Amino acid sequence: MSILLMAGIIGDLSIIQKFVLVYIFLFVLHEWEEMKYPGSLTKLIANMLGVDINTEQERASRIPTSILLLTFTITPFVLYNYPITVLPLAFLGLFEGLVHIFL
């Protein structure tokens, strides 16, 4: 959210930075959805593996995921002169979409 605020203050953004801002907003909504709605991906995978997890373990599993996703989003926002930095975001978005549709 701080990046969204910073972008509002800066104002003059490249198309890549605007794309990343939209992705960050969707990322925040996705993380909220993962923790608020029952049957998150963590529970689904735990059930597939036959492992029982509690709420603390489920919340802790979001920490490495959040660090990875923040790296994927902050990198192209800062290095907007290199369009290739957006590719991990694009592929991750496609992967997330497929996971949510088929699982």
Side-chain angles (χ1 to χ4, degrees):
M1 291 309 242
S2 61
I3 292 176
L4 293 173
L5 178 64
M6 186 175 65
I9 293 170
I10 294 172
D12 186 29
L13 301 173
S14 72
I15 193 72
I16 291 175
Q17 288 174 319
K18 290 176 184 177
F19 173 74
V20 171
L21 288 177
V22 170
Y23 190 87
I24 290 171
F25 178 71
L26 293 174
F27 166 62
V28 170
L29 290 178
H30 178 259
E31 287 301 305
W32 176 78
E33 174 261 333
E34 282 291 329
M35 294 308 296
K36 294 298 179 187
Y37 285 109
S40 67
L41 182 63
T42 308
K43 288 181 182 176
L44 177 70
I45 292 173
N47 287 338
M48 292 171 95
L49 296 174
V51 177
D52 189 31
I53 61 170
N54 59 29
T55 306
E56 287 183 19
Q57 290 172 324
E58 184 178 2
R59 287 185 181 160
S61 73
R62 303 307 303 161
I63 294 170
T65 304
S66 296
I67 291 170
L68 178 68
L69 291 175
L70 282 172
T71 303
F72 280 173
T73 55
I74 291 172
T75 302
F77 188 80
V78 174
L79 301 175
Y80 60 90
N81 291 328
Y82 303 98
I84 199 163
T85 60
V86 176
L87 288 179
L89 289 178
F91 290 126
L92 184 65
L94 289 172
F95 176 73
E96 283 285 334
L98 292 173
V99 166
H100 279 280
I101 290 170
F102 292 114
L103 294 180

